[in-house]
Amino acid sequence: MAPGEKIKAKIKKNLPVRGPQAPTIKDLMHWYCMNTNTHGCRRIVVSRGRLRRLLWILCTLTAVALIIWQCALLVFSFYTVSVSIKVHFQKLDFPAVTICNINPYKYSAVRDLLADLDQETRGALKTLYGFSEVKSRKRRGAESENPAWGGIRPKFLNVIPLLVFNEKEKGKARDFFTGRKRKVSGNIIHKASNVMHIHESKKTVGFQLCPSNDTTNCATYTFSSGVNAIQEWYKLHYMNIMAQVPLEKKINMSYSAEELLVTCFFDGMSCNPRNFTLFHHPMYGNCYTFNNRENETTLSTSMGGSEYGLQVILYIDEEEYNPFLVSSTGAKVLIHQQNEYPFIEDVGTEIETAMSTSIGMHLTESFKLSEPYSQCTEDGHDVPVENIYNAAYSLQICLYSCFQTKMVEKCGCAQYSQPLPPNANYCNYQQNPNWMYCYYKLYQAFVQEELDCQSVCRETCRFKEWTLTTSLAQWPSEVSEDRLGQTLDILQRPEPEIHHGEPSQQHRGASLQLRRPAGPVDELLCRLCHRDHRSLLHRFLLYHRPPPVAES
């Protein structure tokens, strides 16, 4: 018998059927109340006396009404979104602003420290551009010198040799200094160019890093641009040299606040270099932070707009640029919270010379729920990585702290561009001969997430993000150039001449002694000498963007 027939037969058996008619609604209700598990309905039927029956009817109806009311609340709360908008006006807390010159140290101050390195770098650049002119070398057993070196005995090229690779010759490379071919074994890692390409060529340039007394386990890094390869090679030796210079001496070799900042206005009022706090960055030298909560005071603006923000004029001093370390001119600016570390090298905004840059800021503050809703952390106390920065916890700080700690553990020293962990020293190949090889291998493992730093470090539950809107204009204009130069007391310097043939003049900023007609390498190294005094200045405006008008 089908289930439906069984139920029908059971109903007919239990209900008092009167005549041939089907059961009435009253009979069905009575049968339901006698057989249901809902106690209220059963009590209504079996109760004796009208008062008891009335009380049970009221209780049952009240319970049904409460159930219906709760269900309605659940449905409405599920399909209804509550939006609360509050409009209020107050002074806006201005963020901290860190400004750095792209060139970390005055070239005249570090020239003596970098003299040998610059000389070898200059020879490498000349060799690169004139490599095809190198004649066949002497017999394989003898060392043949490239004429571009002019009798230089290399010091840094012996530590990390620069090599030229040809696609036609697999597993072999030609040494920059000797011109001899050498076998290349181990991993070859190609890096894309980020500065410039020299020319279309099947040759690539790179360098080889090997552990001590082991040429079978080397790591070779190649670049599609020779200038990028030489610049990366230069930075490795540059960090090695500067890591051994005391901090106080490096501060004196960099730009002072009075030299970098020409004029300053904030919220319509005049400010001066004393309103900026010195922050020394290993790769950018002396940087200066405005509104760094000195004396526990945070500045604020009375209202939004460019007239009520920070306005500064910067003096870049392009003549003091290191032509081998940096390939662009200008400054870097970073907007951040007062308790945040300024990662100027990662998220800084570059501003160019001879321009007026206006940056509007819009603040977005985000909150996330912690566990069990997400894996964020409140302040990093539950993250098993020691914070080596004197700043509030962030994901970026955690990752860099983790890598620096691994660097000290694996390589025995710390990487120069990050803060020092406790009881550690910066790497140099006098005390740590293998640190460059170790650093490159460790960084490769870090990028491939083999050090577990990415799995251990977590995002913060609360963070602020500044959305920037940048606009540019040429500054100063030609009609106001002379007046502005006199106002700022900046003397116009004549353009230095480029001598051809056999000149003996040494150009300030490029530090070159040209011994042949000007070619691509000379134009590359001397391009800093071709700017007029307008390019030494930059006008910078930073302000809160006014909020949009809300419509009801």
Side-chain angles (χ1 to χ4, degrees):
M1 184 180 293
E5 296 294 332
K6 289 182 179 181
I7 295 174
K8 185 175 180 181
K10 188 176 180 180
I11 292 175
K12 288 182 177 181
K13 182 179 178 180
N14 289 282
L15 288 178
V17 181
R18 299 176 182 176
Q21 299 293 329
T24 62
I25 295 177
K26 182 180 179 181
D27 296 334
L28 289 174
M29 292 297 298
H30 185 271
W31 177 87
Y32 170 77
C33 292
M34 293 297 296
N35 292 275
T36 184
N37 289 330
T38 306
H39 303 291
C41 298
R42 182 179 177 83
R43 292 296 179 183
I44 294 174
V45 176
V46 300
S47 294
R48 297 180 180 180
R50 293 183 179 180
L51 181 60
R52 287 186 177 182
R53 186 171 296 179
L54 180 62
L55 290 174
W56 276 109
I57 290 175
L58 291 175
C59 291
T60 303
L61 292 177
T62 303
V64 172
L66 289 174
I67 292 173
I68 295 174
W69 178 59
Q70 288 293 329
C71 292
L73 288 179
L74 289 175
V75 172
F76 285 127
S77 63
F78 181 79
Y79 287 102
T80 303
V81 178
S82 178
V83 179
S84 177
I85 299 177
K86 294 181 180 180
V87 180
H88 59 277
F89 298 91
Q90 63 180 18
K91 284 192 174 184
L92 302 174
D93 286 340
F94 204 76
V97 183
T98 298
I99 304 174
C100 306
N101 197 324
I102 290 180
N103 184 58
Y105 303 104
K106 301 174 188 175
Y107 193 52
S108 59
V110 299
R111 190 193 305 270
D112 293 338
L113 289 172
L114 306 176
D116 294 338
L117 178 59
D118 291 352
Q119 192 176 25
E120 292 187 34
T121 305
R122 190 178 301 111
L125 284 169
K126 291 183 180 180
T127 300
L128 175 63
Y129 279 92
F131 198 85
S132 60
E133 300 174 2
V134 177
K135 306 298 180 182
S136 59
R137 65 185 184 280
K138 300 178 182 178
R139 62 183 184 277
R140 185 176 299 274
E143 180 178 279
S144 60
E145 294 185 1
N146 193 318
W149 297 94
I152 299 174
R153 309 303 299 181
K155 171 184 175 183
F156 300 95
L157 285 169
N158 288 335
V159 178
I160 305 178
L162 281 168
L163 306 173
V164 174
F165 299 81
N166 197 318
E167 294 181 357
K168 297 180 180 179
E169 298 177 339
K170 300 295 183 181
K172 292 184 179 181
R174 189 182 298 274
D175 191 285
F176 254 62
F177 178 70
T178 64
R180 298 193 311 174
K181 289 184 180 179
R182 56 191 297 175
K183 291 184 178 180
V184 177
S185 58
N187 296 329
I188 297 179
I189 303 169
H190 183 76
K191 292 193 172 185
S193 299
N194 57 3
V195 177
M196 65 191 75
H197 288 273
I198 304 167
H199 49 71
E200 294 295 330
S201 174
K202 296 182 179 180
K203 298 176 182 178
T204 56
V205 183
F207 51 83
Q208 193 176 46
L209 299 175
C210 302
S212 296
N213 303 322
D214 184 8
T215 58
T216 61
N217 191 27
C218 298
T220 305
Y221 295 86
T222 62
F223 300 78
S224 55
S225 167
V227 174
N228 287 122
I230 295 175
Q231 191 175 49
E232 185 75 11
W233 174 87
Y234 183 92
K235 284 182 179 179
L236 282 175
H237 294 295
Y238 168 83
M239 289 191 297
N240 181 80
I241 294 172
M242 299 307 297
Q244 304 174 61
V245 180
L247 176 60
E248 184 178 354
K249 184 176 180 180
K250 287 188 288 188
I251 292 176
N252 293 332
M253 292 189 302
S254 189
Y255 301 90
S256 66
E258 289 76 12
E259 292 172 329
L260 179 64
L261 304 166
V262 180
T263 64
C264 172
F265 289 92
F266 175 73
D267 200 15
M269 304 294 291
S270 177
C271 53
N272 54 57
R274 289 177 294 180
N275 299 110
F276 291 78
T277 305
L278 172 64
F279 162 69
H280 186 83
H281 191 281
M283 301 305 296
Y284 284 92
N286 290 350
C287 299
Y288 296 94
T289 303
F290 179 79
N291 195 25
N292 197 27
R293 196 181 287 172
E294 284 189 285
N295 302 323
E296 300 298 326
T297 302
T298 302
L299 301 177
S300 59
T301 54
S302 56
M303 57 189 305
S306 60
E307 296 299 322
Y308 300 94
L310 175 65
Q311 303 182 33
V312 294
I313 295 178
L314 306 177
Y315 181 65
I316 301 302
D317 198 6
E318 206 171 8
E319 292 183 352
E320 290 283 4
Y321 268 49
N322 186 332
F324 306 109
L325 182 64
V326 292
S327 56
S328 57
T329 59
K332 265 199 167 185
V333 177
L334 178 63
I335 294 93
H336 57 95
Q337 295 299 312
Q338 280 75 14
N339 60 348
E340 292 180 350
Y341 182 86
F343 286 99
I344 194 76
E345 70 276 22
D346 294 335
V347 292
T349 301
E350 290 191 355
I351 53 179
E352 59 181 309
T353 56
M355 300 293 290
S356 175
T357 304
S358 298
I359 300 179
M361 304 178 298
H362 180 76
L363 176 63
T364 302
E365 191 169 5
S366 303
F367 300 88
K368 295 173 66 176
L369 296 177
S370 57
E371 292 183 351
Y373 304 100
S374 70
Q375 298 297 320
C376 67
T377 177
E378 294 292 341
D379 54 7
H381 71 279
D382 52 348
V383 177
V385 175
E386 182 181 2
N387 186 349
I388 63 175
Y389 292 80
N390 186 24
Y393 174 89
S394 67
L395 176 61
Q396 200 168 10
I397 281 180
C398 180
L399 291 174
Y400 279 124
S401 298
C402 179
F403 176 80
Q404 189 74 304
T405 303
K406 297 288 185 182
M407 180 82 181
V408 175
E409 293 176 1
K410 302 290 185 181
C411 307
C413 57
Q415 204 263 345
Y416 175 67
S417 62
Q418 303 301 332
L420 274 174
N423 303 321
N425 296 315
Y426 283 126
C427 297
N428 64 82
Y429 44 60
Q430 280 75 21
Q431 299 177 357
N432 314 94
N434 297 327
W435 81 265
M436 294 184 184
Y437 173 80
C438 181
Y439 164 71
Y440 267 81
K441 297 291 286 185
L442 192 68
Y443 185 75
Q444 183 180 356
F446 174 78
V447 172
Q448 296 174 355
E449 300 186 8
E450 297 175 359
L451 300 182
D452 296 330
C453 292
Q454 287 82 352
S455 60
V456 171
C457 295
R458 294 184 286 169
E459 292 185 351
T460 54
C461 297
R462 176 178 179 177
F463 56 93
K464 295 180 180 180
E465 183 179 6
W466 295 95
T467 303
L468 306 181
T469 303
T470 305
S471 59
L472 301 173
Q474 184 177 349
W475 181 88
S477 62
E478 293 184 0
V479 296
S480 63
E481 178 183 349
D482 294 336
R483 175 186 57 80
L484 184 64
Q486 295 174 2
T487 303
L488 300 176
D489 196 24
I490 296 176
L491 300 177
Q492 184 172 2
R493 301 174 178 88
E495 289 188 359
E497 299 179 359
I498 298 180
H499 298 276
H500 301 284
E502 297 289 331
S504 59
Q505 180 181 359
Q506 193 174 37
H507 294 295
R508 186 184 182 190
S511 183
L512 278 181
Q513 290 183 352
L514 308 182
R515 302 184 181 276
R516 60 181 173 82
V521 64
D522 304 322
E523 294 176 3
L524 169 68
L525 297 177
C526 280
R527 66 185 181 84
L528 300 181
C529 305
H530 290 277
R531 306 290 183 86
D532 55 36
H533 75 273
R534 287 188 306 162
S535 64
L536 304 178
L537 293 173
H538 180 88
R539 186 168 181 257
F540 170 64
L541 297 91
L542 184 66
Y543 58 91
H544 280 293
R545 286 168 51 192
V549 179
E551 296 182 1
S552 57

